[in-house]
Amino acid sequence: MSGKSGGADRVIVARRVGPSDTQMALMRSMINRVVAHAEKNKGGMFSTDELKKDDCELLRKWVTATWNYDAAARLGTLVEVASDLSDLYLREFYLEMTKAIQFPISASLPWILASHAIKDDRAGQ
């Protein structure tokens, strides 16, 4: 794409990105409304059966399939947050250093998992 602004040519590069959460919610809502109106067939825009039954069914399936789009779009962030165990490890490390009454760090799950990953030759495979 290109355009003129103030006498100078600008080149606008087209980007391929998915729809935002808001765009997806609006699109789902509008399709849901159109399909509901077409299925009721109460006259107006769809009084001549412009949307066939198969089309309505296909659009309903799409609306159902895109229910969790926002979570799928943020999958990397969700996995990163869910797998961050640093708080657990640092808390137990602090308790071990301050000699607070708690179980030893060598008995904690993060320590056991980290030790296993470091010692086991097959852990990286």
Side-chain angles (χ1 to χ4, degrees), residues 38-112:
E39 287 175 347
K40 288 179 184 175
N41 203 13
K42 291 191 174 185
M45 186 163 67
F46 296 106
S47 61
T48 59
D49 220 12
E50 290 186 28
L51 270 181
K52 304 292 184 223
K53 193 171 189 171
D54 294 340
D55 295 337
C56 288
E57 190 175 316
L58 184 65
L59 288 170
R60 281 270 183 220
K61 284 181 183 178
W62 181 84
V63 168
T64 303
T66 58
W67 179 257
N68 288 325
Y69 174 80
D70 57 332
R74 295 181 288 121
L75 185 62
T77 305
L78 291 174
V79 169
E80 186 178 322
V81 168
S83 63
D84 182 16
L85 301 176
S86 62
D87 292 340
L88 295 174
Y89 176 78
L90 292 175
R91 179 180 174 272
E92 291 174 11
F93 184 70
Y94 173 76
L95 291 171
E96 181 73 18
M97 284 181 53
T98 59
K99 305 293 182 202
I101 299 174
Q102 194 65 253
F103 58 89
I105 193 167
S106 60
S108 72
L109 185 60
W111 181 269
I112 293 169

